[in-house]
């Protein structure tokens, strides 16, 4: 049976249950008391998100980082500056075209990301192992849509 939300909209049991599971997963992923859990990374959540992306990409320009994260060029530039100031990002100029500046993680940031996300990544890998490629695609699509809707904010109504 749908439940009444604060703003008057009706939410399904599925929406409540899945929301609770997302909160539970987020809390468990941030836990430092679970067996094998690392200490929190000394980066802002936005910097951690950019660092994870750069760990997968290895090196990108600010524009490529912005595109890869689906954020504005200004946002990507601000996060890159924050990460550089904290020693987590290196900038290098291309040798062929000195106008192009490449971003990469510092060795310290690479170590932090490996330590901080190896534990979480292993948990995700174990959960994903139960799904076929179509199931993994559905989970990825669902989580992307939830993130987009949460970033967009409440619907005008």
């Amino acid at each position: 049976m749908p439940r009444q939300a604060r703003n008057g909209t009706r939410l399904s049991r599925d929406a409540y249950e899945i929301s609770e599971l997302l909160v539970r997963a987020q809390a468990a992923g941030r836990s430092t008391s679970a067996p094998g859990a690392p200490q929190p990374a000394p980066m802002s959540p936005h910097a951690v998100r950019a660092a994870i992306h750069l760990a997968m990409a290895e090196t990108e320009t600010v524009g490529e980082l912005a595109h890869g994260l689906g954020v504005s060029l200004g946002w990507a530039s601000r996060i890159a500056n924050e990460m550089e100031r904290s020693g987590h990002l290196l900038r290098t100029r291309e040798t062929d075209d000195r106008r192009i500046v490449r971003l990469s993680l510092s060795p310290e940031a690479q170590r932090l990301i490996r330590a901080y996300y190896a534990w979480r990544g292993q948990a995700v890998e174990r959960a994903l192992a139960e799904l076929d490629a179509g199931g993994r695609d559905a989970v990825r699509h669902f989580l992307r849509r939830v993130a987009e809707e949460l970033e967009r904010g409440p619907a005008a109504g």
Side-chain angles (χ1 to χ4, degrees):
M1 175 175 150
R3 298 179 184 187
Q4 193 84 14
R6 277 192 186 171
N7 66 359
T9 60
R10 308 280 277 158
L11 299 177
S12 68
R13 180 168 180 79
D14 284 342
Y16 274 102
E17 183 179 357
I18 291 169
S19 294
E20 189 274 331
L21 289 169
L22 288 170
V23 169
R24 183 177 158 200
Q26 180 183 27
R30 288 184 173 172
S31 172
T32 57
S33 61
Q39 293 304 306
M43 289 187 242
S44 72
H46 296 302
V48 168
R49 182 173 173 223
I52 292 168
H53 182 82
L54 285 170
M56 292 185 292
E58 294 186 18
T59 180
E60 290 192 325
T61 64
V62 172
E64 291 167 340
L65 178 64
H67 182 264
L69 293 174
V71 299
S72 71
L73 189 58
W75 185 94
S77 184
R78 282 189 300 278
I79 294 305
N81 290 340
E82 172 191 323
M83 292 175 69
E84 185 177 36
R85 280 190 305 275
S86 67
H88 295 122
L89 182 95
L90 303 173
R91 294 180 197 249
T92 54
R93 292 202 178 270
E94 289 275 331
T95 53
D96 293 340
D97 186 344
R98 303 284 296 157
R99 295 172 297 176
I100 299 173
V101 177
R102 312 269 331 149
L103 310 176
S104 60
L105 294 178
S106 69
E108 172 65 10
Q110 290 174 16
R111 184 193 65 72
L112 283 169
I113 291 300
R114 277 194 307 274
Y116 193 63
Y117 282 92
W119 179 76
R120 288 157 186 83
Q122 289 169 3
V124 171
E125 284 287 351
R126 289 190 305 271
L128 287 174
E130 299 175 8
L131 303 174
D132 62 12
R136 289 189 298 274
D137 287 345
V139 168
R140 186 178 296 109
H141 174 77
F142 171 75
L143 291 174
R144 183 178 297 118
R145 288 291 299 124
V146 168
E148 289 167 358
E149 289 298 326
L150 289 170
E151 289 165 353
R152 188 174 67 129

